Amino acid sequence: MSGSCYQGKNSIPHLTSEKLLIKGGRVVNDDQSLYADVYIEDGLIKQVGENLVVPGGVRVIEANGRMVIPGGIDVNTCLMKPYLGTYPVDDFLQGTKAALAGGTTMIIDHVTPQPGDSLLDAFEHWQEAADKRACCDYSLHVDIPQWNEAVKDELELLVQEKGINSFQVYMAYKDVYQMSDSELYEAFSFLKQLGAVVLVHAENGDLIAQEQRKILGMGITGPEGHPLSRPEELEAEAVFRAITLGNRVNCPVYITKVMSKSAADTITQAKRKGSVVFGEPITASLATDGSNYWSKNWAKAAAYVTSPPLSPDPTTPDHLHTLLACGDLQVVGSAHCTYSTSQKAIGKDDFTLIPEGINGVEERMGFVWDKAVAMGKMDENQFVAVTSTNAAKIFNLYPRKGRIAVGSDADVVIWDPDSIKTITAKLQQSASEYNIFEGLECRGGPVLVLSQGHVVYEEGKLQVQQGTGRFIPCKPFPDYAYQRIKFRNQVRGNQGVSRGMYDGPVYDVTPTPKYITPAPSAKTSPTSHQPPPVRNLHQSNFSLSGAQIDDNVPRRSGHRIVAPPGGRSNITSLG
Amino acid sequence: MHLPSEHIQSSDRLLIKGGRIVNDDQSFHADIYMEDGLIKQIGDNLIVPGGVKTIEAQGKMVIPGGIDIHTHFQMPYRGTTTVDDFAQGSKAALAGGTTMIVDHVIPEPGSSLVEAFDQWRQWADEKACCDYSLHVDVTHWNDSVKQELDSLIKDKGVNSFQVYMAYKDYYQMSNSELYEVFTFLAERGGIAQVHAENGEIIAEEQARMLQMGITGPEGHVLSRPEELEAEAVFRAITIASQTNCPLYVTRVMSKSAADIISQARKKGNVVFGEPITASLGTDGTHYWSKNWAKAASFVTSPPLSPDPTTPDYLNTLLSSGDLSVTGSAHCTFSVSQKAIGKDDFTQIPEGVNGVEERMALIWDKAVTTGKMDENMFVAVTSTNAAKILNLYPRKGRIAVGSDADLVIWDTDSIRTITAKTHNSAAEYNVFEGMELRGAPLVVICQGKIVLEDGNLHVTSGVGRFIPCSPFPDFAYKRVKARKQLAVLRAVPRGMYDGPVSEFSMSRGGTPSASARTSPTKQPVRNLHQSGFSLAGNPAPCGDLTASHSIVVSVGTRPKMYSIQCFTLGI
């Protein structure tokens, strides 16, 4: 790879990082922890075990009994999401640097085409930008901004040839991205056939539009209008609806950005009923709350604006951690999408215009450790599961990613559970002026980060090269999501009842004045009722499929459905 | 009126002796004296005029006459009409111990609500044998509908309006419309009733079923699974909660829908659930009957749940108070009318019977099984309905001054339900063969005996329209209190006066820009806001270009510049 070393003054020459031995660490996967050495060559894990036989000249890293975990996977970043012509301040370089500094070695970014744009073009645009700039491996989700026939072909191409297996649909952003229930139904059905994972931005956009109008009408224009117009009920409602759709279509549903207790509870209940649904809380919803929207400092309040908004309920983070620990929520993203204060100020007079997005890619792993593991809610294996392994499974990257095993990619982190740091915008990798976690103390952090077998972070120093990140294609039909779906498909065949055709009288619905007084005629018993002759003509066309009595009648080619002999409509198949 | 003279004699003044009066709050032994259709005295050893007809109740229960809060008598459907008109239907009601019905006015989408209301009034005034009120269904939404609603509430005596979340492209309303309707009703003191089913998904599922070749009545329930009911209930509750409007879910047919209502009530939402006779008494397994006509007779929306434990569950929630009132949704079509959909289940006219069986069925399923006490029985069959309609205590209670609508209830009589003996004109009864314990012994309506010794003598046309006034306390007391609390305030903060990134609202003609613009945000606004938005900004305003409508940028590279020069904290 070309390009100069970033901060590369005291970095180790490139060659030595090709072969690495991590000695004396405790390897922690999502299923077990064990003491073992890890030998890495050519970006892959070659050996895991004790007393490994390795070639000479290998750089040895002493882990001193610390945890060796699979590098984190941040399933939700938006490093290139345009907003009214401006772009987030953290691009693929800045964003992936922040990711690596926090122990995350892979990101999955959202391709966000505008309505009318080609999904394919957008995808290629994103891929090109990421290939040039990203310092860690990445995959892409593609957002579907609107639903139509042309989109279908592009989706098929993206799944089959471009390595995309997840697509986001929107239930919010009325008149822009929002899809109706019918469109969602169709999108779910189509994506299910392709074996893709449906990501849902779950908020009721219709109601939000109404509430926004109401709140602006009341003269509330500041950032507090954002959560006021997007109460968590609207999130829960949309989650419920998305899950209902998923159940009907028998399609796995993945809820991006679970921000509130009620939305999380809705997911929990659905799982209890057997729905295939995944929930993704993000760093922000796990570590802070929405009380800052009421900050007197406009710029600070605006920095928290994201959708769905952070819940003003301060017990939310704790609740979400509990659900994450028990497996009701599966993966943690960051939804990292940072805009500078001057960009946020586009909405200084109208909260609906504030660009939405918050930071979190760097802090993600640390906060899950601090708030869940260090508090005794979660064990270290579950920590690995929610920060890395589950994401790899859902997006079909497992066990290449998300596991320390022979043959897996050498994305490895040595984790120090005891390091304590205070989050501040001054020390962050992100380019934004605000850090929404400003001043929070966080226990646990990476000591050393390996990406593609190279040491990229050590002793607090980043040594990255832009453009080294590779696009990792995702294959459709991930087992983790689709195995159950496949079985359910087989079980769920609906069948009609085979019964004799109804051959009694039929009320004529043609609105003729003759039949306006129905009560007496309707009361007559079916057998004595004389059907009006008119009716036979138009009903004989479509009515009689499945009547066994007709089976010996040769089918006329012009009619798909067997017409009765002689044009009579009353076939006495019952008698 | 033109009543036989013996009727006037015997029924104008009545004394019920030795009965046990059961209201929703208490039961006690007392005599009841009625005159001119009103209850005049309650107590022991009443002093009454001579020549009064006396009914010996012999210790039996005397309860307020039932109120069936949901019927569709004489309902037009594609040029035909349901077989039970107001005479037939109200007769069946009285035979079952129900002395008041509330019928749904269903205007055709696009037509006048008031005209439809007047039409229904005319039909009912001509024929009804018992008192009635009307709900009006709001089948489309625009400004003229608002005016009509206003006049219906203020002048016509309607306080409850049903909206539809199903019947796509016909009655169905979008979420935005629902929001507006609820907001409107909350201001006017109306009750928002919803038919809760997700019409969009139903349309998709119906197409799928038909495509699979499923055309019989089982397709009805397959295309309307109970999840879609629960989803819509959830959504309706969300919208009602946003608009602070009391919500009434008509026809709770499934466990999951009932559970959603339960949960919402536990969270404090003002929501009422109405299970109907059919969902309390039978289930949806009959849709798979080999007899098409029988299967079709069960077709109603939302459909009966195929889960046979549903009735028991709904009776439990009714007993615990999580569901509030019971209706029948009585809407009967003959077999030949149902046969309109013989080749396509989506064409089967929807409706089941139940007005006559309602009270007995609840007694049998809830009271005799020990789920519910007799006071709760009165509450769910009569009192709660009266409270929601703002007719309490005129209706729904045995008290001095209340209407003389009451029933002597026989807790032990056992009847077998069958279409042969029922008072409805329909050929099928969805409760066919069911044995029910509990029945009315004597029914008194407007102070006149209409059922005695098994004989029904009703008079068509005596039913009066009972106007309902808005803001029923039962629903609105809490809503009013919340309205006072829920005042939103903006944060008083200094204006943001830092740099603002350059952005374009009309980039590439994508809809995003225009849609994100809120109604108040037009380019014009910049002019009057520029006075303070740039306060304290050291940069010259010289490069504000006319072509950029809202751009307030400093320097030519706003993004870079802003990071350096900007001071945080205002």
Side-chain angles (χ1 to χ4, degrees):
Chain A
M1 294 278 163
S2 62
S4 60
C5 265
Y6 201 88
Q7 290 184 351
K9 282 193 186 122
N10 58 352
S11 70
I12 317 100
H14 221 197
L15 274 176
T16 50
S17 59
E18 294 282 84
K19 293 178 182 174
L20 274 173
L21 179 67
I22 302 174
K23 264 189 94 76
R26 192 156 51 87
V27 174
V28 179
N29 276 319
D30 70 322
D31 55 346
Q32 61 171 350
S33 313
L34 70 158
Y35 284 94
D37 301 341
V38 180
Y39 174 65
I40 291 161
E41 201 181 312
D42 298 331
L44 295 177
I45 296 171
K46 293 286 183 184
Q47 299 179 54
V48 178
E50 288 177 273
N51 309 316
L52 301 179
V53 181
V54 297
V58 167
R59 182 185 167 193
V60 178
I61 298 165
E62 289 290 344
N64 295 325
R66 277 189 291 231
M67 292 167 58
V68 179
I69 60 175
I73 301 175
D74 187 336
V75 286
N76 187 349
T77 63
C78 296
L79 300 178
M80 224 173 90
K81 184 182 182 181
Y83 178 76
L84 300 180
T86 76
Y87 288 89
V89 293
D90 289 332
D91 64 358
F92 276 105
L93 171 62
Q94 207 70 39
T96 50
K97 271 168 66 182
L100 289 169
T104 294
T105 54
M106 178 173 182
I107 59 157
I108 311 184
D109 201 72
H110 278 271
V111 177
T112 50
Q114 293 301 305
D117 291 357
S118 152
L119 301 190
L120 217 54
D121 291 351
F123 163 76
E124 278 160 6
H125 182 48
W126 251 258
Q127 198 184 24
E128 196 190 328
D131 279 343
K132 268 190 205 144
R133 307 277 283 167
C135 331
C136 68
D137 288 350
Y138 70 97
S139 288
L140 294 171
H141 308 294
V142 175
D143 293 8
I144 306 175
Q146 64 183 163
W147 186 250
N148 54 41
E149 287 300 314
V151 165
K152 287 187 182 176
D153 295 338
E154 293 197 306
L155 293 179
E156 212 165 331
L157 204 67
L158 284 168
V159 169
Q160 281 158 10
E161 292 173 21
K162 300 292 182 183
I164 303 288
N165 76 352
S166 48
F167 298 91
Q168 173 153 297
V169 294
Y170 290 87
M171 300 173 80
Y173 305 106
K174 194 181 179 193
D175 300 330
V176 191
Y177 305 129
Q178 186 176 326
M179 288 191 196
S180 70
D181 288 358
S182 305
E183 288 169 333
L184 290 170
Y185 186 98
E186 282 174 27
F188 281 36
S189 307
F190 188 77
L191 291 172
K192 174 201 169 185
Q193 284 173 356
L194 295 178
V197 178
V198 182
L199 315 178
V200 183
H201 177 110
E203 278 185 298
N204 188 317
D206 288 342
L207 299 187
I208 289 171
Q210 294 279 1
E211 292 285 327
Q212 285 180 337
R213 201 171 307 148
K214 187 174 93 185
I215 302 257
L216 285 172
M218 293 165 73
I220 300 177
T221 58
E224 69 277 13
H226 183 72
L228 289 176
S229 63
R230 304 178 101 103
E232 67 176 78
E233 286 184 281
L234 305 192
E235 187 191 352
E237 188 282 317
V239 169
F240 195 94
R241 189 148 41 98
I243 292 170
T244 306
L245 278 156
N247 289 344
R248 285 329 297 160
V249 177
N250 190 24
C251 167
V253 173
Y254 177 108
I255 309 290
T256 56
K257 295 199 252 192
V258 174
M259 303 301 280
S260 66
K261 286 163 83 169
S262 23
D265 285 343
T266 307
I267 293 172
T268 299
Q269 284 163 21
K271 287 181 76 71
R272 298 282 169 278
K273 289 186 187 156
S275 304
V276 182
V277 53
F278 306 104
E280 169 207 283
I282 62 170
T283 321
S285 60
L286 289 168
T288 183
D289 60 57
S291 50
N292 290 302
Y293 291 119
W294 280 265
S295 165
K296 293 268 187 187
N297 178 344
W298 187 93
K300 184 180 176 194
Y304 289 82
V305 169
T306 186
S307 284
L310 287 156
S311 167
D313 178 350
T315 63
T316 305
D318 200 48
H319 188 74
L320 295 183
H321 276 292
T322 306
L323 296 188
L324 200 55
C326 75
D328 281 357
L329 300 173
Q330 290 76 30
V331 283
V332 183
S334 68
H336 190 88
C337 180
T338 46
Y339 292 100
S340 70
T341 299
S342 64
Q343 287 173 312
K344 290 267 182 186
I346 290 169
K348 71 190 174 58
D349 303 316
D350 177 352
F351 65 85
T352 65
L353 292 173
I354 301 174
E356 294 170 351
I358 34 134
N359 65 297
V361 70
E362 184 173 354
E363 298 82 1
R364 188 180 66 101
M365 311 242 323
F367 273 121
V368 176
W369 186 272
D370 180 76
K371 302 218 175 250
V373 186
M375 301 299 284
K377 280 182 193 287
M378 189 186 277
D379 62 26
E380 58 193 24
N381 304 99
Q382 180 72 0
F383 173 73
V384 168
V386 300
T387 54
S388 177
T389 312
N390 289 350
K393 286 179 176 171
I394 291 173
F395 299 108
N396 226 352
L397 299 167
Y398 188 80
R400 176 176 178 186
K401 301 284 184 188
R403 186 166 186 84
I404 295 182
V406 174
S408 297
D409 279 0
D411 289 350
V412 176
V413 171
I414 300 181
W415 188 261
D416 180 1
D418 300 319
S419 83
I420 293 182
K421 74 169 178 177
T422 303
I423 308 289
T424 165
K426 291 187 193 88
L427 300 175
Q428 71 186 2
Q429 295 294 328
S430 162
S432 62
E433 302 104 319
Y434 270 96
N435 188 312
I436 59 166
F437 311 107
E438 187 76 32
L440 291 180
E441 246 185 30
C442 182
R443 209 170 339 164
V447 188
L448 181 132
V449 178
L450 293 181
S451 170
Q452 302 177 15
H454 300 292
V455 177
V456 291
Y457 179 84
E458 195 178 8
E459 293 165 357
K461 293 209 171 60
L462 270 178
Q463 312 145 11
V464 298
Q465 261 185 327
Q466 64 169 305
T468 51
R470 301 164 298 181
F471 173 70
I472 312 286
C474 303
K475 284 200 283 291
F477 293 108
D479 270 351
Y480 195 62
Y482 267 93
Q483 210 165 52
R484 286 173 287 171
I485 297 290
K486 282 178 193 163
F487 278 104
R488 289 177 195 193
N489 268 344
Q490 292 164 11
V491 183
R492 267 166 66 126
N494 284 325
Q495 281 183 340
V497 175
S498 58
R499 53 166 85 84
M501 289 306 295
Y502 172 83
D503 60 355
V506 179
Y507 201 92
D508 192 348
V509 289
T510 335
T512 347
K514 253 198 289 185
Y515 307 117
I516 230 80
T517 50
S521 73
K523 266 208 241 179
T524 44
S525 79
T527 44
S528 67
H529 184 78
Q530 288 303 311
V534 210
R535 177 202 80 209
N536 300 345
L537 296 172
H538 85 267
Q539 294 222 324
S540 58
N541 274 337
F542 53 88
S543 59
L544 293 155
S545 65
Q548 293 94 336
I549 199 158
D550 291 339
D551 284 354
N552 55 345
V553 177
R555 280 151 207 260
R556 276 181 277 164
S557 57
H559 287 217
R560 274 195 304 127
I561 300 156
V562 182
R568 288 196 311 116
S569 74
N570 283 355
I571 303 298
T572 44
S573 59
L574 277 174
Chain B
M1 290 195 139
H2 46 85
L3 299 175
S5 59
E6 51 165 291
H7 261 208
I8 296 172
Q9 285 272 314
S10 62
S11 51
D12 251 354
R13 293 174 176 182
L14 269 177
L15 180 68
I16 298 178
K17 268 188 92 76
R20 190 159 54 87
I21 297 176
V22 179
N23 276 322
D24 71 321
D25 55 345
Q26 59 171 350
S27 313
F28 55 96
H29 288 272
D31 301 342
I32 306 168
Y33 173 65
M34 288 162 270
E35 201 181 311
D36 301 328
L38 294 177
I39 296 170
K40 292 287 184 185
Q41 296 180 55
I42 292 175
D44 294 323
N45 311 316
L46 301 179
I47 299 165
V48 298
V52 166
K53 165 151 182 161
T54 303
I55 303 168
E56 289 292 341
Q58 295 170 332
K60 288 206 165 58
M61 285 168 61
V62 183
I63 58 174
I67 300 176
D68 187 335
I69 196 162
H70 188 162
T71 65
H72 297 274
F73 295 155
Q74 215 166 325
M75 187 186 84
Y77 176 81
R78 295 167 72 178
T80 149
T81 309
T82 52
V83 294
D84 288 324
D85 62 5
F86 276 98
Q88 197 79 33
S90 55
K91 189 176 152 194
L94 288 168
T98 293
T99 55
M100 177 173 181
I101 57 126
V102 190
D103 206 74
H104 276 269
V105 176
I106 311 180
E108 276 296 302
S111 66
S112 157
L113 270 60
V114 173
E115 276 170 31
F117 169 82
D118 290 338
Q119 177 65 70
W120 253 262
R121 275 290 311 266
Q122 193 195 330
W123 286 335
D125 283 339
E126 271 168 18
K127 293 194 173 169
C129 316
C130 67
D131 289 350
Y132 71 96
S133 287
L134 293 172
H135 308 292
V136 175
D137 292 7
V138 183
T139 48
H140 62 290
W141 185 244
N142 56 37
D143 283 337
S144 78
V145 171
K146 285 186 189 175
Q147 287 171 6
E148 294 202 293
L149 289 187
D150 249 342
S151 109
L152 285 168
I153 292 172
K154 281 185 191 139
D155 311 326
K156 301 283 187 175
V158 178
N159 79 350
S160 44
F161 301 88
Q162 173 162 285
V163 291
Y164 291 85
M165 301 172 81
Y167 305 105
K168 194 182 175 190
D169 299 330
Y170 195 45
Y171 296 144
Q172 186 177 322
M173 284 199 187
S174 70
N175 293 334
S176 308
E177 287 171 327
L178 291 172
Y179 185 97
E180 286 176 19
V181 175
F182 287 14
T183 307
F184 185 86
L185 289 176
E187 282 166 16
R188 303 301 198 278
I191 304 281
Q193 300 191 317
V194 284
H195 176 112
E197 278 185 297
N198 188 316
E200 304 229 345
I201 307 182
I202 288 171
E204 299 280 347
E205 293 278 309
Q206 285 179 335
R208 192 166 69 94
M209 290 300 152
L210 289 172
Q211 202 182 12
M212 288 165 70
I214 300 177
T215 58
E218 68 277 11
H220 180 72
V221 64
L222 290 174
S223 64
R224 302 179 102 103
E226 67 175 76
E227 299 183 81
L228 304 191
E229 186 190 353
E231 188 281 316
V233 170
F234 196 101
R235 188 148 42 98
I237 288 171
T238 306
I239 301 173
S241 149
Q242 284 310 302
T243 51
N244 197 18
C245 177
L247 181 74
Y248 179 108
V249 180
T250 57
R251 293 197 258 206
V252 175
M253 303 301 280
S254 65
K255 287 162 82 167
S256 23
D259 278 341
I260 302 285
I261 293 173
S262 250
Q263 284 164 23
R265 287 175 68 91
K266 282 174 187 49
K267 286 185 192 155
N269 293 30
V270 181
V271 53
F272 306 103
E274 169 208 278
I276 63 169
T277 321
S279 60
L280 292 166
T282 182
D283 60 58
T285 52
H286 303 281
Y287 292 118
W288 281 267
S289 166
K290 291 271 185 187
N291 177 344
W292 187 91
K294 184 182 174 195
S297 72
F298 286 81
V299 168
T300 187
S301 285
L304 288 156
S305 166
D307 178 351
T309 63
T310 305
D312 197 50
Y313 194 78
L314 294 184
N315 277 297
T316 304
L317 291 190
L318 196 57
S319 311
S320 70
D322 282 0
L323 298 174
S324 312
V325 284
T326 53
S328 66
H330 189 88
C331 180
T332 43
F333 290 98
S334 69
V335 172
S336 66
Q337 288 173 319
K338 290 266 184 187
I340 292 169
K342 72 189 175 63
D343 305 311
D344 176 354
F345 64 86
T346 64
Q347 303 296 315
I348 301 174
E350 294 170 351
V352 288
N353 65 298
V355 69
E356 184 173 357
E357 299 81 4
R358 188 179 63 101
M359 309 255 305
L361 196 128
I362 295 166
W363 186 269
D364 181 81
K365 300 271 176 196
V367 186
T368 61
T369 54
K371 283 180 193 290
M372 189 187 275
D373 61 29
E374 55 193 26
N375 304 97
M376 194 64 180
F377 173 72
V378 169
V380 299
T381 55
S382 176
T383 312
N384 289 351
K387 286 180 176 171
I388 289 173
L389 295 164
N390 224 354
L391 298 174
Y392 187 81
R394 178 178 176 184
K395 300 284 185 188
R397 186 168 185 83
I398 297 180
V400 173
S402 298
D403 279 359
D405 288 348
L406 38 84
V407 172
I408 301 182
W409 190 257
D410 182 354
T411 55
D412 299 321
S413 90
I414 296 180
R415 265 187 318 162
T416 304
I417 306 293
T418 165
K420 291 191 191 83
T421 58
H422 71 193
N423 283 287
S424 160
E427 300 106 321
Y428 273 92
N429 187 312
V430 296
F431 310 104
E432 187 75 33
M434 207 174 274
E435 244 188 22
L436 295 184
R437 186 185 295 261
L441 198 64
V442 176
V443 177
I444 295 163
C445 180
Q446 299 180 3
K448 299 176 180 63
I449 298 174
V450 291
L451 176 79
E452 196 180 18
D453 304 328
N455 298 318
L456 200 55
H457 11 240
V458 300
T459 319
S460 197
V462 299
R464 301 164 299 181
F465 173 72
I466 311 287
C468 305
S469 50
F471 293 111
D473 274 350
F474 195 56
Y476 266 92
K477 244 184 196 161
R478 287 174 286 170
V479 168
K480 281 179 192 162
R482 288 174 198 192
K483 225 173 245 173
Q484 286 165 4
L485 283 179
V487 180
L488 301 178
R489 284 199 185 83
V491 174
R493 50 166 87 86
M495 288 307 297
Y496 172 84
D497 59 355
V500 178
S501 281
E502 190 166 336
F503 66 103
S504 66
M505 295 295 280
S506 54
R507 186 176 51 90
T510 57
S512 72
S514 65
R516 273 183 172 265
T517 324
S518 75
T520 52
K521 298 289 139 190
Q522 293 305 318
V524 205
R525 125 188 160 300
N526 203 28
L527 296 172
H528 73 86
Q529 295 215 326
S530 60
F532 44 86
S533 66
L534 287 167
N537 195 327
C541 309
D543 46 13
L544 279 176
T545 49
S547 64
H548 285 175
S549 52
I550 314 187
V551 174
V552 185
S553 61
V554 277
T556 46
R557 291 166 294 129
K559 221 161 70 177
M560 302 299 296
Y561 184 56
S562 64
I563 297 165
Q564 296 157 14
C565 77
F566 180 60
T567 50
L568 305 177
I570 292 160

